[in-house]
Amino acid sequence: MKVTIVGAGNVGATCADVISYRGIASEVVLLDIKEGFAEGKALDIMQCATNTGFNTKVSGVTNDYSKTAGSDVVVITSGIPRKPGMTREELIGINAGIVKTVAENVLKHSPNTIIVVVSNPMDTMTYLALKATGLPKNRIIGMGGALDSSRFRTYLSLALDKPANDISAMVIGGHGDTTMIPLTRLASYNGIPVTEFLSEEALQKVAADTMVGGATLTGLLGTSAWYAPGASVAYLVDSILNDQKKMIACSVFVEGEYGQNDICIGVPCIIGKNGVEEILDIQLNDQEKALFAKSADAVRGMNDALKSILV
């Protein structure tokens, strides 16, 4: 199985490293526009093989899409990362042209690939990739919900003082500081609702911390995070390549699900070899429905900025 990662920056390189270390794919290609950058990252990762025991072939290439031919999955991380004080939404004008060009180029050499979008603002870039390529909706997936849910589980584990891997929790809605919806009501610790252990006040703090999880790291690091985003992409790619059919919150094109149409937004999905194999219709309460509708309106508003690009 072959995976191409376009953009060899922090997120892309971490994704390549995790995929290689875990043996998720037999081949990983890193592509970047900066001369020698992807080649250097790939060589550095390959030099870990004898010490960490993986056999994945990792190569880097400068802007030569022919080397990506036959990719089963293409991950797009291209674009500029967030800087302190910058919202994901402010990246639209800069990153939209990049993502559109990348998606078109990879399809010339891998017409049957599944595309995973990481570039921000992620929901809008996922929608752009879908509309610009004309691919079936199951083959364009935005990664954001996997990352947001991971952060949600982390903050819950800290509040509970219990292992994150024993906690089940999900974030739906837009991948933005004000649009994501941590589903505190449905979160559980080894099958027991977390509401049995945490007060409403504590849960609201967990939700608030989750929603600004990315911004918090940007403020601390001076740039976007990369370890958790890269690992979240690898987790999603693993479910695709190995047909694991994991339930993962992803940004996908909805046609009536959750009362929404013609946008890409985070919803629970079954992810397998065909990409998005099913959108799960979980029963939201009235408050959650209202929050989801508000989130969808915000995402739809950002998509309006794409009109000139999609002409």
Side-chain angles (χ1 to χ4, degrees), residues 13-249:
T14 300
C15 178
D17 186 49
V18 175
I19 288 174
S20 303
Y21 180 76
R22 292 182 56 199
I24 293 170
S26 56
E27 181 178 0
V28 175
V29 176
L30 272 170
L31 184 148
D32 203 277
I33 61 172
K34 184 179 179 181
E35 187 70 37
F37 191 62
E39 291 88 338
K41 291 288 186 79
L43 184 58
D44 194 15
I45 293 171
M46 280 293 287
Q47 289 171 356
C48 298
T50 55
N51 293 321
T52 56
F54 71 79
N55 296 304
T56 302
K57 176 185 176 183
V58 186
S59 60
V61 61
T62 301
N63 219 31
D64 181 0
Y65 283 87
S66 67
K67 302 297 185 183
T68 71
S71 294
D72 298 284
V73 177
V74 172
V75 178
I76 302 177
T77 73
S78 304
I80 67 167
R82 280 205 291 176
K83 296 178 174 61
M86 178 183 284
T87 66
R88 293 180 176 93
E89 292 77 9
E90 290 173 314
L91 300 176
I92 292 177
I94 301 169
N95 287 348
I98 297 172
V99 170
K100 182 174 183 289
T101 300
V102 168
E104 292 170 345
N105 280 330
V106 296
L107 285 175
K108 292 176 184 176
H109 302 280
S110 302
N112 298 315
T113 195
I114 293 169
I115 294 177
V116 175
V117 179
V118 182
S119 307
N120 276 316
M122 194 267 321
D123 300 291
T124 301
M125 294 301 103
T126 304
Y127 182 81
L128 170 68
L130 179 74
K131 293 296 183 178
T133 62
L135 287 179
K137 63 180 183 179
N138 63 295
R139 289 172 54 195
I140 302 286
I141 307 172
M143 177 280 300
L147 172 60
D148 296 334
S149 298
S150 176
R151 287 173 172 160
F152 185 25
R153 292 171 67 190
T154 297
Y155 284 117
L156 282 168
S157 76
L158 293 172
L160 290 163
D161 193 25
K162 297 293 188 296
N165 285 328
D166 284 350
I167 296 168
S168 177
M170 182 179 296
V171 176
I172 61 172
H175 181 58
D177 301 345
T178 61
T179 56
M180 67 180 74
I181 306 164
L183 294 174
T184 55
R185 179 179 63 88
L186 299 178
S188 63
Y189 164 58
N190 276 339
I192 304 171
V194 296
T195 52
E196 296 287 325
F197 306 99
L198 297 175
S199 67
E200 179 62 24
E201 182 181 3
L203 283 172
Q204 289 306 311
K205 185 180 186 306
V206 166
D209 288 344
T210 300
M211 293 175 72
V212 297
T216 299
L217 287 165
T218 300
L220 292 169
L221 297 169
T223 186
S224 295
W226 58 90
Y227 294 124
S232 296
V233 179
Y235 179 77
L236 180 58
V237 170
D238 192 10
S239 193
I240 296 169
L241 292 185
N242 293 299
D243 195 26
Q244 293 175 337
K245 302 191 188 302
K246 291 177 180 175
M247 182 174 68
I248 306 173

